[in-house]
Amino acid sequence: MFTVFGGSGFIGRNLVRRLRNRGAEVRVPSRAAMPAAGEDLGHVIFAIGLTADFRTRPFDTIEAHVSLAAKLLRENGFSSFLYLSSTRVYAGSEDTREEARLSASPLDPSDLYNLSKLTGEAICLASGREKVRVARLSNVVGPGEAKSDTFLGALCREAGSGRIQLQTALDSSKDYIWIDDAVDLLLRIAQEGRHSVYNVASGRQTSHAEWCAAIQSRTKCSVAVDEGAPTISFAPISVDRSKDEFAFAAAPVLERIAEILGEGEPDTGSHPRPSTRSRI
């Protein structure tokens, strides 16, 4: 049995779908109906999190990233526990290996996200419970990205209007991973992982220029960049651990551009996907 917390979000929803397709029994408790103390939860995947609005909801952020996980770790039985974190915790660091020593400042409001995720990771790893693992996800993309409140979602929406106007330079780049690859790796880590912390990333940087070229090839939109636009990039994410242990290799996300743009999909307006808001 699996228990997925945060099962209505983008990643949690896809985890639940994949598990049920495999015939697994899956529970998806809501925040209003958390399991009772002492209840055995089977394999736990903790996918609860705040992203875009963490700066204006500091107490909710701490509850989502720290307090709820700590309560489950202290009060419930489980076969394994996988805590979903973010490769954003490597911000400002050139070392993106899982064992890297990281830093964040409580004086910077933007660091609240990293501090809370790292505290959530720390309580997991210090809990003394067996088979507790952490997965740090990079930028996960999927079908119909234009509905999401992400950098890529904004690009797709602007392309739909015929013109992309970038506020950041074309050579800006980050790691992106396709949702199905992320789900595959997460489920392997949850049940088989030999280490306590894993990066869930493609290990491949995709630049704004590459995204714009791929979108232009499908939509014929124009692309312009603000004068003096800064380059904003994150260091390449190390994927040596997942390669060595699982022989993991993610597919290039640019090959999924038609799905990302939602070509052929009915516009249902369902499942808006909030995420870390980025400058376009």
Side-chain angles (χ1 to χ4, degrees), residues 197-216:
V197 182
Y198 291 84
N199 291 331
V200 176
S202 67
R204 182 184 298 112
Q205 296 288 94
T206 304
S207 69
H208 289 9
E210 290 174 302
W211 279 122
C212 289
I215 292 171
Q216 273 186 306

Side-chain angles (χ1 to χ4, degrees), residues 77-255:
F78 50 77
S79 302
S80 68
F81 190 105
L82 180 64
Y83 178 88
L84 302 197
S85 183
S86 169
T87 56
R88 182 175 171 156
V89 299
Y90 296 115
S93 172
E94 293 301 315
D95 187 354
T96 62
R97 295 171 301 169
E98 288 87 344
E99 64 270 28
R101 192 167 187 84
L102 304 173
S103 64
S105 171
L107 299 177
D108 183 348
S110 293
D111 275 2
L112 174 63
Y113 183 88
N114 287 7
L115 287 164
S116 62
K117 280 293 189 185
L118 289 171
T119 304
E121 293 186 16
I123 193 65
C124 285
L125 302 179
S127 67
R129 304 290 298 270
E130 294 184 355
K131 297 185 179 179
V132 176
R133 306 176 182 97
V134 171
R136 295 172 177 163
L137 290 107
S138 71
N139 300 278
V140 183
V141 299
E145 193 71 23
K147 298 172 186 172
S148 69
D149 187 16
T150 62
F151 166 76
L152 185 55
L155 281 188
C156 293
R157 288 191 294 276
E158 290 206 3
S161 69
R163 176 184 170 87
I164 292 173
Q165 181 70 42
L166 285 167
Q167 300 171 36
T168 46
L170 285 167
D171 61 347
S172 302
S173 63
K174 292 191 291 187
D175 185 291
Y176 296 85
I177 185 171
W178 185 248
I179 180 65
D180 292 338
D181 288 331
V183 166
D184 286 342
L185 184 54
L186 286 170
L187 293 179
R188 296 196 67 183
I189 292 169
Q191 295 181 280
E192 307 168 26
R194 298 199 303 264
H195 295 274
S196 56
V197 182
Y198 291 84
N199 291 331
V200 176
S202 67
R204 182 184 298 112
Q205 296 288 94
T206 304
S207 69
H208 289 9
E210 290 174 302
W211 279 122
C212 289
I215 292 171
Q216 273 186 306
S217 72
R218 311 292 299 194
T219 66
K220 312 304 179 189
C221 68
S222 64
V223 176
V225 183
D226 285 358
E227 186 175 351
T231 296
I232 297 180
S233 297
F234 288 83
I237 303 300
S238 172
V239 292
D240 291 345
R241 181 165 290 175
S242 58
K243 277 185 178 177
D244 292 345
E245 188 171 332
F246 302 112
F248 176 75
V253 290
L254 291 171
E255 293 181 357

Side-chain angles (χ1 to χ4, degrees), residues 11-26:
I11 296 169
R13 189 170 69 245
N14 280 278
L15 283 164
V16 170
R17 175 179 54 81
R18 178 69 59 82
L19 286 166
R20 286 180 172 159
N21 285 344
R22 290 182 179 181
E25 179 186 352
V26 187

